[in-house]
Amino acid sequence: MQTIVADADEQLCAWLKLVARDGTPRDACLGAILKGALRCAAAGRALAKALWANASVTSLDLCRADLDDATAAYVARATRAPGSRIVKLELDGNDVGPRACAELAEVLVSNGTLTSLSLEGNDLTRGGKLEKPFDGLCAALGKAKALTQLNLWRCGLSEAAGKTLAEGLRSNELLILVETGGNDVLAEDQRDVDATLRRNRDALDDRSTTAKAEARRRRTEAKERAVEEARREKAAEVDAWIEQRR
């Protein structure tokens, strides 16, 4: 309450009201607003609570908002709300760590709308000291329902974390873009990651080609049915006219 009341320009208050009323624009870029709050973490938790009942935001940008790990976890949890429609979540340049990784793992296996997740510039494993939550996130990639893009640029990933990421991706069939630059990922593990992404992109192209062919077939059949229906209607009209004349 103190954080909200201390909002001098009332931007935070205005956004919280919009979120609560489900009246926000689809794209919400709130990093600067949260960073300018009296307490960034408190402002982030207030936003996460309001987001739990929101269905109007589809793209949430909280980059460089000075969010701590716990607050990032609260925000991630909000994307698991039954009515959430968030497709893109950006948490670049915060203090996202093990706690948020554990929550994001739950999000990936339960959220059917989140297709893009960016965690650039966060020390996810705390310098390699807490890698188990990130390992869980990698394992969840194999069960992810919708994710197609993942940004892990400069996330402090060790060689072991890179190997875990490559292993987790092997059973994923949706991801087509994963950024891993600025980490200690070994070349062999990067080749495995690239091979998985290439396989997924090829499969996506095949599905797209098949879907287009199926759509053309359905359009052709619909056109033929329309022509046949018009022919039958015309024949019926002629028969009725002949009967009337008779």
Side-chain angles (χ1 to χ4, degrees):
M1 290 175 64
Q2 290 173 349
T3 298
I4 296 172
V5 170
D7 181 26
D9 56 11
E10 298 187 353
Q11 290 190 64
L12 176 60
C13 292
W15 268 99
L16 288 176
K17 289 178 181 178
L18 286 174
V19 171
R21 292 200 302 262
D22 222 5
T24 62
R26 289 186 300 175
D27 299 332
C29 184
L30 305 177
I33 293 176
L34 296 187
K35 187 173 182 178
L38 177 64
R39 297 178 180 85
C40 303
R45 290 195 298 273
L47 174 65
K49 184 175 181 179
L51 282 171
W52 190 262
N54 179 276
S56 57
V57 174
T58 58
S59 177
L60 182 60
D61 181 349
L62 300 180
C63 296
R64 290 165 287 280
D66 281 352
L67 301 181
D68 58 26
D69 192 20
T71 304
Y74 279 119
V75 172
R77 187 179 304 155
T79 66
R80 289 200 285 133
S84 175
R85 296 176 56 198
I86 294 178
V87 174
K88 184 177 183 180
L89 177 61
E90 296 175 278
L91 295 169
D92 305 3
N94 288 291
D95 191 30
V96 178
R99 186 168 176 177
C101 281
E103 190 60 47
L104 286 168
E106 295 289 334
V107 169
L108 295 182
V109 298
S110 62
N111 185 303
T113 60
L114 187 67
T115 61
S116 178
L117 174 62
S118 183
L119 301 172
E120 179 178 330
N122 289 285
D123 187 2
L124 300 180
T125 64
R126 295 299 186 252
K129 297 177 181 178
L130 294 171
E131 293 192 340
K132 188 173 181 179
F134 180 75
D135 293 347
L137 178 62
C138 292
L141 291 175
K143 304 174 185 178
K145 286 188 174 182
L147 196 69
T148 60
Q149 299 181 42
L150 176 61
N151 184 4
L152 297 174
W153 187 273
R154 293 189 300 106
C155 284
L157 304 184
S158 64
E159 294 180 0
K163 185 173 293 295
T164 303
L165 174 63
E167 292 173 353
L169 282 172
R170 287 195 186 106
S171 56
N172 181 283
E173 298 180 352
L174 297 176
L175 277 161
I176 58 174
L177 177 62
V178 177
E179 295 284 358
T180 59
N183 296 294
D184 291 332
V185 178
L186 295 175
E188 59 190 57
D189 295 323
Q190 185 61 55
R191 283 195 294 270
D192 288 345
V193 170
D194 293 340
T196 297
L197 299 179
R198 188 163 49 250
R199 180 201 67 196
N200 291 351
R201 286 194 292 268
D202 290 343
L204 178 62
D205 290 341
D206 291 342
R207 290 195 298 271
S208 178
T209 300
T210 301
K212 289 179 180 178
E214 179 64 17
R216 285 195 298 270
R217 184 186 65 79
R218 290 179 179 178
R219 287 196 298 270
T220 300
E221 289 181 351
K223 187 180 296 185
E224 291 175 350
R225 286 195 300 269
V227 170
E228 178 61 21
E229 183 65 24
R231 187 193 64 77
R232 286 198 298 266
E233 289 179 358
K234 185 64 175 178
E237 290 176 0
V238 171
D239 291 343
W241 181 83
I242 293 174
E243 182 63 26
Q244 183 182 23
R245 295 296 293 173
R246 182 181 293 115

